[in-house]
Amino acid sequence: KIPTIYMIDDNWISIVEDYPEYGEIFKEGSETYNNFMYIIQNSTIVWAYNNTLIEDIKPFAKKILKSKLGIDINKEKRNIKNKEKLVVGFSGSMRYDDTAFKALSKLDRKDIKLLLFGNISKKQLKLFKSKDIIKYKFLKYEDYIEKMKEIKPDLLIAPLKNDRTSSSKCYNKYLENTSIGAATIFSKVLPYIEVVKENITGFYVEKETVDGWYNSINRILDNRELLFEVKKNSYDDVVNNYSVDSLLNWFTNTIQKIV
């Protein structure tokens, strides 16, 4: 009779079709699938962040709560406009499409330093073999954020495929990048289109092609005034609407209601 909350932020139902090489263990009838369904079906509440994911787990869960997503943010402005070189690149988990990385590797500008931080495939790394890059492997979350604060990136890319599994993800890339003072170019897909206002709190890629990403990155770098305005706007948005401080009362009250 203990109330049980199960938080989920990945779509283990659609992944079997969208990414069979990674989602095979969640194939219906497998031990992993059966365990997953047991938890979904027997939890008091399933806690999720995304409407697409909620649609897919709704037939199996007793009750679902759409939660708000937040981040613990250190309120220090890092909007330094007079940088000689801007830090531009990618940080995060593995992306299985190389398009945006091909565009990033084509950049040949004297006013930037390239950053690759996280899980990058060998194929993607080869694109940068002749480039002078800042490179860090994936770190546990606390170390990752501290290192990002140290690097102080200015413009990051967040490519995401337009399939059901990707559309079921959280928009935490917006929160993470913004919390350390960076602006981001996103794929114009869910979940980003629910929270990011174009040219106000973020940017969207022109087209999901190499030229589309390349042109978008260069256009933004050529307009530093807009870039730093978006950095400021997005930082204020995250502090006011997505920080732990702003969500703490909602969170504790919600837990009390469940109990």
Side-chain angles (χ1 to χ4, degrees):
K1 296 181 180 180
I2 299 172
T4 309
I5 303 170
Y6 177 49
M7 189 280 287
I8 177 172
D9 63 355
D10 283 302
N11 196 330
W12 301 127
I13 296 171
S14 65
I15 195 172
V16 177
E17 182 176 342
D18 290 340
Y19 300 98
E21 66 273 37
Y22 306 105
E24 181 67 22
I25 62 171
F26 282 97
K27 194 171 183 178
E28 190 170 352
S30 70
E31 184 179 5
T32 308
Y33 177 88
N34 291 339
N35 290 339
F36 167 65
M37 280 298 170
Y38 178 87
I39 298 168
I40 287 280
Q41 293 165 353
N42 288 279
S43 294
T44 309
I45 284 183
V46 177
W47 187 293
Y49 302 91
N50 180 297
N51 287 332
T52 306
L53 177 57
I54 287 172
E55 285 176 11
D56 285 359
I57 60 177
K58 193 172 183 179
F60 311 105
K62 293 178 182 177
K63 189 171 183 179
I64 299 171
L65 171 71
K66 184 179 180 183
S67 178
K68 298 178 180 181
L69 190 63
I71 189 168
D72 190 10
I73 186 166
N74 187 357
K75 298 173 185 177
E76 297 176 8
K77 293 292 180 77
R78 298 180 179 84
N79 223 17
I80 304 168
K81 296 184 179 182
N82 59 349
K83 280 185 170 183
E84 181 182 350
K85 290 191 175 186
L86 301 178
V87 178
V88 180
F90 171 82
S91 70
S93 55
M94 184 71 73
R95 294 294 181 266
Y96 302 105
D97 183 87
D98 301 331
T99 304
F101 294 93
K102 289 177 181 177
L104 198 62
S105 70
K106 284 177 60 179
L107 292 175
D108 187 21
R109 299 176 62 115
K110 294 181 180 179
D111 61 343
I112 66 170
K113 291 187 286 187
L114 288 175
L115 169 68
L116 294 177
F117 192 174
N119 289 331
I120 316 293
S121 72
K122 291 181 180 179
K123 184 179 177 183
Q124 289 160 358
L125 272 177
K126 282 183 180 179
L127 297 169
F128 298 86
K129 62 182 178 181
S130 62
K131 300 283 185 179
D132 182 21
I133 61 173
I134 304 168
K135 172 73 175 71
Y136 291 99
K137 293 182 179 179
F138 199 83
L139 300 173
K140 67 179 184 179
Y141 185 76
E142 293 84 357
D143 295 338
Y144 165 73
I145 287 294
E146 287 305 312
K147 179 58 71 173
M148 287 290 276
K149 289 177 183 177
E150 180 184 314
I151 297 168
K152 298 181 177 65
D154 297 283
L155 181 64
L156 297 170
I157 59 170
L160 195 64
K161 295 189 76 173
N162 190 18
D163 54 47
R164 194 155 188 89
T165 302
S166 299
S167 297
S168 299
K169 289 183 173 293
C170 298
Y171 46 85
N172 58 338
K173 190 54 59 187
Y174 172 59
L175 305 189
E176 288 177 6
N177 292 354
T178 300
S179 73
I180 47 86
T184 307
I185 309 174
F186 299 93
S187 293
K188 200 167 188 177
V189 296
L190 288 169
Y192 300 134
I193 57 176
E194 291 184 333
V195 295
V196 177
K197 296 178 182 177
E198 189 166 15
N199 295 329
I200 298 174
T201 58
F203 303 101
Y204 288 115
V205 66
E206 293 173 4
K207 289 183 179 179
E208 287 289 346
T209 62
V210 174
D211 285 344
W213 277 99
Y214 180 78
N215 293 337
S216 296
I217 296 168
N218 277 303
R219 173 177 54 83
I220 295 161
L221 292 175
D222 288 337
N223 190 345
R224 280 206 181 195
E225 185 176 346
L226 177 61
L227 170 59
F228 280 89
E229 183 64 26
V230 167
K231 286 174 61 159
K232 179 184 180 301
N233 291 342
S234 59
Y235 185 88
D236 290 343
D237 179 44
V238 169
V239 169
N240 293 331
N241 298 303
Y242 301 101
S243 67
V244 168
D245 288 346
S246 66
L247 295 178
L248 190 57
N249 286 339
W250 176 87
F251 182 84
T252 53
N253 289 340
T254 302
I255 297 294
Q256 288 290 349
K257 288 177 182 177
I258 292 170
V259 174

